[in-house]
Amino acid sequence: MRVFKFGGASVNSVSAIKNMANIVSQYQDRPLVVVISAMGKTTNLLEKIIPGIPNNETEHYELLQQCYDYHLTIAKELFDDAPNDTFVKLDNLFDNLKETSFSKPTEYNYDYDRVVSFGELISTTLVSGYLNSLGIRNTWIDVRQVIRTDNNYREGIVDFNTTCTLVNKTLRPLLQDPKSMVITQGFIAGTETGATTTLGREGSDYSASILSYCLNAESMTIWKDVPGFLNADPKFFKETVKINKIPFNEAIELAYYGASVIHPKTVKPIQNKGIKLNIKSFVDPSAEGSIIGPFDSIEPLTPLYIFKNNQTLISIQPKDFSFIAEDNLHTIFAVLAELNIRVNMMQNSALSFSLCIDHNEILLKKLRGKLEKDFRLVYNSNLQLITIRYYNQTIIDSIVGGRNILLQQRARTTTQLLVEL
């Protein structure tokens, strides 16, 4: 049994979906679970119509229409505009999306998950219908009924015992035939009470890992628009090196620091079961790609670069001029946990605690509201966080290029630098 994951770029157009269909058609010698993300930049669009987001009703309708037109145009071309029950399913999903997005705001993280989850529900409905129309038989499954989390919205914590029970009850019976295929969603999950949760931004990789773990899959494959695990994002580097073999622990470290090729939580579940993770190109499916597995070291050994833009540096000082001690840190981290704010880098001195986070205006406002009574907050935005693994000073100088460094940390093999763009 195999588990495949296709991201938004692999299903963002008619040609992309046809290419994806061609890939899965070549792997019908054994059961296959296919995890699919929202199409293209759909999640970014849906984030703009969460209840309570400040935009007027006209803009709201325009964004909804934009989302609908994008998917419907692709569907009409895939099905040659012929009658198909997929169109009925898509209309029902968009009716529900409209109702949900215009509902009364409650709590941001809860509302976020309710709205953005439609991206995956829509994409998988469309792809599943198209594959069936080609004779590539598959069963569509709502993963919210399978992957169980707590009610920690936007960063749901998975209950693996319950999830594996549900996977074996719901998915495994559908995967008995060698040509059987299940199409399901990445990124989203559900609570015991039926509420929708998500697993963290770009969490579809993690979804595939969870299902691989519970199904004891022989392998998991992430299909990307790059030839494998590269030592740097090609958007930042003209020349990159493909890493052929990556040890599990190395991949965990790189994902933690923000390597865009895999979600931070992806590797640990499959490491626990010894399941190898393939990273292959949907542009060139026959190419070798990269493998994450039980290796001793990366191959080839080369510096690795990770860039995170749109970062904000926050410096927090107690108003009573006390030291930054355990009680103050406890208060700060409790608020960060409450708001589900992930810290990308942190540092403290005697009187100040500094942290680097992904910029989010709504969460930043909430953070200030909860801390400004007892703390003084100063922050800088529009920053870039650079992580270099296997660095030296010459490499650092060439990457920083004379820019102002606001925060820096060094360990034996890894350095992080927060710089102005």
Side-chain angles (χ1 to χ4, degrees), residues 1 23 27 57-58 131 151 158 162 180 227 240 303 305 378 410:
M1 183 182 302
I23 291 172
Y27 290 89
E57 190 171 294
T58 300
L131 292 177
N151 59 356
V158 176
T162 302
S180 56
T240 58
Y305 307 90
V378 178
R410 292 194 189 191

Side-chain angles (χ1 to χ4, degrees), residues 198-216:
T198 59
L199 302 176
R201 201 67 158 84
E202 310 294 340
S204 293
D205 295 349
Y206 186 35
S207 302
S209 175
I210 295 164
L211 297 178
S212 297
Y213 174 91
C214 292
L215 289 166
N216 292 308

Side-chain angles (χ1 to χ4, degrees), residues 288-335:
E288 184 177 350
S290 303
I291 302 177
I292 296 173
F295 308 118
D296 293 329
S297 61
I298 67 169
E299 180 186 309
L301 182 61
T302 185
L304 304 162
Y305 307 90
I306 300 166
F307 299 85
K308 289 177 72 71
N309 290 335
N310 198 28
Q311 299 295 291
T312 292
L313 173 64
I314 307 172
S315 295
I316 304 171
Q317 296 178 324
K319 285 186 175 180
D320 61 3
F321 300 103
S322 63
F323 292 116
I324 284 287
E326 286 77 4
D327 55 344
N328 289 322
L329 291 173
H330 179 272
T331 300
I332 294 168
F333 277 104
V335 172

Side-chain angles (χ1 to χ4, degrees), residues 52 73 76 102 160 164 198 206 214 267 286 318-319 328 356 381 401:
T73 299
K76 285 181 175 179
F102 273 106
F160 273 88
C164 286
T198 59
Y206 186 35
C214 292
V267 179
S286 62
K319 285 186 175 180
N328 289 322
C356 169
S381 296

Side-chain angles (χ1 to χ4, degrees), residues 249-280:
N249 287 342
E250 185 79 36
I252 291 171
E253 289 280 355
L254 294 169
Y256 171 80
Y257 287 122
S260 60
V261 72
I262 49 175
H263 184 271
K265 296 180 181 178
T266 301
V267 179
K268 193 58 184 173
I270 58 175
Q271 181 189 26
N272 290 350
K273 289 286 183 78
I275 301 169
K276 289 184 179 180
L277 169 57
N278 303 297
I279 301 171
K280 292 177 68 69

